[in-house]
């Protein structure tokens, strides 16, 4: 199967409109560089207004027939889609490593976690069941259906270029909607490959369209009257803006945003496992996961484990994502690297101790890459910038607490709410946490991704039952079929009592 990436001598990312890959007519392009080398990989178009209009028109037209296909037809497409993704896991991962920088194995994980959503959508006939009730009143039937909304849209971030588009596309379309997606302009390749695979699985033209760009494309989605719902995943700034602008325009919006996930380390935990999990969850993917465990609170005697934590972190191998045995790769851009290094320095300036400094790392053979080694700041206090801001890099900030209650107080005072974990062997203590001896408690697709507080805006969450609820509206039909012919002599004008 021909793929977009790497087959063309002109390094441009195409649009996907009405089932066709289209070269943009734009004059404005965003250069996309390999984070490990800073070599140009492709140029991503800022779609023109006409191209974005064409994408929505195509989705609107496709909705007329797609929404009437049988749910079993849509299910069958998902079965085929999941099979094609599985067969192309490696090429998807290669594209992710090239454009995003994460290691090949981690990139496969990125695809797999999205693939699981596709697999869950294979059970859409059950997921989309409506409700009814026997004997609601004599001869009266009330039935509720979950029906699609129309044209829906996705706006996705750079850190999971396959997984997050797969949080939106399969759920939206198996529910009978059509979809316009704007993947991150920093790594849209995986999304392009996925929509091509979806077409190969039998999805008709127009059901999913891909546009590219930055703010103008986002505004277009927020404002277009034919788009009924927006799924957004990304930073706080963009998420709040999109939630507000989309909602003002009468759209349903779900907005998954930034995080500052805390892990509480109790001295009764399994030390070996805890330190390994902490290191994996803080530094994996160079800390560029919304569920990265970026903040650790060591309670009481667990503070003595810090030297060993440093020792383990130091052993991680930082290199280009395609180099075998690499633990984590570069961060996304030189700007991100600069920002992360500044945040590390701000911690030092505000009185934190730099237990491990990953700044200034040069990787042999990849001297121009955006690398930062594992970094640990200790003695961090909640008023410091490095604690308050999401760093989104390979930096673990460590706080200390005398008691579990004090640790919980710190967590509850933090505005974010994506995931918190505790490491303990005490069942009673663990009840208060969403992750127990699991550093990254991302819910599997049969559940929903239930971020809260400052990490989420909206009512219904991504994927699982809540994802189906987000992408459907309830239509309730009330019908009266009398068993025997009853003729009323007079109109009933009062409410029945
Ligand atoms: P980002 O907000 O920069 O970009 C996300 C999308 O929004 C992109 O498509 C981008 O084009 C658009 N965008 C960016 N800035 C915008 C603005 N000012 N106005 C309108 N649109 C804008 O996010 P990112 O850097 O690509 O991704 C990293 C962020 O995403 C982190 O904060 C991370 O925690 C978050 N994230 C959250 C989850 C979650 O489920 N909560 C999952 C993954 C990533």
């Amino acid at each position: 199967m021909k793929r977009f990436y790497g087959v063309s001598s002109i390094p441009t990312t195409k649009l996907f409109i009405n089932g066709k890959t289209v070269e943009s007519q734009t004059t404005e392009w965003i250069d996309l560089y390999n984070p490990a080398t800073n070599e140009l990989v492709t140029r991503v178009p800022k779609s023109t207004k006409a191209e974005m209009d064409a994408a929505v028109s195509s989705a609107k037209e496709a909705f007329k027939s797609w929404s009437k296909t049988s749910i079993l037809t849509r299910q069958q497409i998902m079965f085929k889609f999941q099979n094609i993704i599985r067969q192309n896991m490696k090429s998807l991962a290669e594209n992710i490593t090239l454009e995003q920088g994460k290691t090949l194995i981690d990139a496969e994980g990125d695809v797999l976690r999205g693939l699981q959503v596709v697999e869950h959508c294979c059970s859409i006939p059950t997921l989309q069941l409506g409700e009814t009730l026997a004997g609601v009143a004599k001869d009266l039937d009330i039935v509720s259906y979950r029906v699609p909304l129309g044209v829906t849209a996705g706006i996705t971030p750079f850190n999971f270029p396959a997984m997050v588009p797969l949080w939106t596309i399969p759920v939206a379309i198996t529910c009978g909607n059509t979809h316009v997606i704007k993947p991150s302009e920093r790594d849209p390749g995986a999304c392009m490959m996925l929509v091509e695979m979806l077409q190969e699985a039998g999805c008709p033209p127009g059901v999913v369209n891909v546009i590219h760009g930055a703010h103008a494309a986002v505004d277009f989605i927020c404002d277009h009257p034919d788009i009924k719902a927006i799924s957004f995943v990304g930073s706080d700034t963009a998420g709040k803006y999109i939630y507000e602008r989309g909602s003002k325009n009468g759209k349903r919006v779900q907005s998954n945003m930034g995080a500052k996930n805390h892990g509480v380390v109790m001295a009764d935990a399994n030390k070996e496992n805890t330190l390994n999990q902490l290191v994996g969850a803080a530094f994996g993917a160079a800390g560029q996961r919304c569920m990265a465990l970026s903040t650790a609170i060591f309670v009481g005697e667990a503070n003595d484990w810090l030297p060993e934590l440093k020792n383990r972190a130091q052993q991680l191998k930082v290199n280009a994502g395609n180099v075998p045995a690499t633990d984590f790769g570069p961060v996304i851009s030189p700007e991100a690297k600069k920002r992360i290094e500044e945040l590390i320095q701000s911690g030092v300036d505000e009185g934190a101790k730099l237990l491990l400094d990953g700044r200034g790392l040069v990787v042999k053979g990849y001297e121009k890459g955006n690398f930062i080694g594992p970094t640990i700041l200790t003695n961090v206090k909640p008023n410091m910038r490095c604690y308050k801001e999401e760093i989104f890099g390979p930096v673990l900030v460590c706080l200390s607490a005398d008691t579990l209650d004090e640790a919980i107080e710190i967590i509850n005072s933090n505005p974010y709410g994506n995931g918190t974990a505790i490491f303990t062997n005490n069942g009673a203590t663990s009840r208060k946490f969403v992750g127990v001896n699991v550093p990254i408690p991302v819910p599997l697709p049969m559940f929903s991704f239930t971020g809260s507080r400052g990490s989420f805006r909206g009512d219904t969450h991504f994927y699982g039952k809540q994802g189906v609820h987000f992408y459907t509206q309830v239509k309730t039909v009330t019908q009266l079929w009398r068993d025997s012919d009853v003729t009323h002599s007079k109109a009933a004008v009062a409410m029945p009592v």
Side-chain angles (χ1 to χ4, degrees):
M1 185 169 79
K2 189 168 170 270
R3 297 269 175 253
F4 291 99
Y5 176 69
V7 294
S8 164
S9 58
I10 310 158
T12 55
T13 298
K14 313 291 184 250
L15 307 165
F16 192 78
I17 298 173
N18 205 28
K20 292 196 176 63
T21 61
V22 190
E23 184 78 67
S24 175
Q25 298 305 305
T26 189
T27 52
E28 291 181 274
W29 299 84
I30 302 161
D31 289 344
L32 189 160
Y33 298 95
N34 178 343
T37 60
N38 274 306
E39 283 165 5
L40 185 69
V41 173
T42 179
R43 297 167 75 221
V44 182
K46 287 188 179 176
S47 311
T48 65
K49 168 88 170 40
E51 288 161 352
M52 296 191 285
D53 275 330
V56 176
S57 300
S58 158
K60 190 179 178 185
E61 187 58 30
F63 180 73
K64 292 178 191 161
S65 50
W66 178 248
S67 57
K68 294 191 177 58
T69 50
S70 79
I71 199 146
L72 298 181
T73 302
R74 305 203 290 266
Q75 181 193 35
Q76 287 304 319
I77 292 173
M78 280 302 116
F79 279 129
K80 288 186 191 134
F81 187 35
Q82 75 86 25
N83 190 31
I84 298 172
I85 295 175
R86 223 169 248 293
Q87 285 168 1
N88 289 281
M89 200 93 154
K90 294 245 177 298
S91 52
L92 276 161
E94 279 164 19
N95 178 276
I96 293 171
T97 299
L98 183 77
E99 293 192 355
Q100 200 272 356
K102 63 178 74 173
T103 63
L104 283 168
I105 182 78
D106 199 37
E108 280 194 42
D110 187 331
V111 180
L112 181 76
R113 292 310 297 264
L115 176 62
Q116 289 172 332
V117 177
V118 177
E119 289 171 344
H120 189 239
C121 285
C122 290
S123 54
I124 194 70
T126 315
L127 290 169
Q128 211 179 325
L129 278 179
E131 292 179 327
T132 190
L133 181 66
V136 80
K138 188 170 177 345
D139 296 335
L140 192 76
D141 298 322
I142 303 183
V143 185
S144 77
Y145 301 95
R146 292 212 154 263
V147 297
L149 307 172
V151 181
T152 59
I155 302 171
T156 58
F158 83 83
N159 65 328
F160 283 104
M163 180 184 82
V164 179
L166 289 174
W167 282 4
T168 74
I169 297 171
V171 190
I173 70 168
T174 45
C175 287
N177 302 285
T178 53
H179 203 59
V180 175
I181 185 161
K182 191 208 83 64
S184 171
E185 65 277 23
R186 296 193 261 181
D187 50 15
C191 180
M192 292 301 291
M193 291 170 77
L194 286 166
V195 294
E196 202 184 27
M197 291 174 202
L198 186 57
Q199 176 145 295
E200 192 182 318
C203 186
V207 172
V208 178
N209 299 271
V210 187
I211 59 172
H212 299 294
H215 296 202
V218 167
D219 285 350
F220 172 87
I221 289 173
C222 291
D223 296 346
H224 200 294
D226 289 333
I227 293 177
K228 304 298 176 203
I230 305 171
S231 292
F232 168 82
V233 181
S235 65
D236 293 356
T237 314
K240 287 178 188 162
Y241 173 79
I242 290 166
Y243 184 80
E244 196 173 310
R245 189 159 177 155
S247 306
K248 251 187 201 155
N249 285 322
K251 299 180 201 315
R252 201 176 267 201
V253 186
Q254 54 179 186
S255 202
N256 266 13
M257 299 179 289
K260 198 81 183 172
N261 304 302
H262 292 60
V264 175
V265 184
M266 305 297 289
D268 66 15
N270 177 319
K271 185 175 171 185
E272 189 76 6
N273 289 348
T274 301
L275 292 178
N276 284 339
Q277 290 184 313
L278 210 51
V279 166
F283 303 116
Q288 299 173 116
R289 293 180 181 140
C290 66
M291 288 293 276
L293 208 58
S294 56
T295 310
I297 307 180
F298 290 82
V299 178
E301 286 167 16
N303 279 288
D304 299 342
W305 299 1
L306 283 170
E308 219 168 305
L309 176 77
K310 172 183 173 179
N311 195 19
R312 275 161 214 253
Q314 259 174 330
Q315 289 168 29
L316 294 176
K317 292 189 181 60
V318 185
N319 210 324
N322 58 346
V323 172
T326 298
D327 289 308
F328 68 84
V331 296
I332 188 72
S333 64
E335 295 74 32
K337 176 176 164 161
K338 186 162 170 272
R339 187 185 151 271
I340 295 162
E341 292 188 339
E342 276 170 12
L343 275 164
I344 296 169
Q345 187 57 42
S346 78
V348 176
D349 295 345
E350 290 183 281
K353 184 177 161 211
L354 196 50
L355 186 64
L356 182 62
D357 187 358
R359 293 174 298 176
L361 176 72
V362 178
V363 173
K364 200 161 170 282
Y366 295 92
E367 288 77 6
K368 292 194 175 146
N370 315 318
F371 295 99
I372 305 176
T375 299
I376 302 175
L377 283 162
T378 60
N379 292 351
V380 171
K381 305 283 179 247
N383 61 346
M384 294 180 184
R385 227 187 109 202
C386 66
Y387 174 79
K388 289 193 283 192
E389 285 184 34
E390 183 184 39
I391 300 178
F392 225 56
V395 183
L396 177 64
V397 300
C398 300
L399 290 80
S400 172
D402 291 334
T403 61
L404 175 65
D405 284 346
E406 196 189 319
I408 291 176
E409 177 61 31
I410 295 172
I411 295 170
N412 285 342
S413 305
N414 188 281
Y416 290 110
N418 242 13
T420 56
I422 187 161
F423 299 92
T424 181
N425 272 324
N426 181 330
T429 350
S430 72
R431 277 218 186 86
K432 302 184 169 81
F433 287 77
V434 298
V436 180
N437 299 323
V438 171
I440 305 187
V442 177
L444 283 165
M446 57 296 285
F447 298 92
S448 299
F449 189 103
T450 46
S452 64
R453 303 196 291 180
S455 298
F456 177 70
R457 284 202 180 175
D459 299 309
T460 33
H461 289 279
F462 280 76
Y463 63 79
K465 268 190 209 145
Q466 294 208 25
V468 172
H469 288 191
F470 180 79
Y471 279 113
T472 52
Q473 54 192 322
V474 179
K475 172 174 155 182
T476 308
V477 177
T478 306
Q479 35 186 327
L480 182 71
W481 295 105
R482 287 284 183 216
D483 243 359
S484 51
D485 208 9
V486 180
T487 306
H488 298 281
S489 56
K490 176 171 182 291
V493 287
M495 301 276 283
V497 288

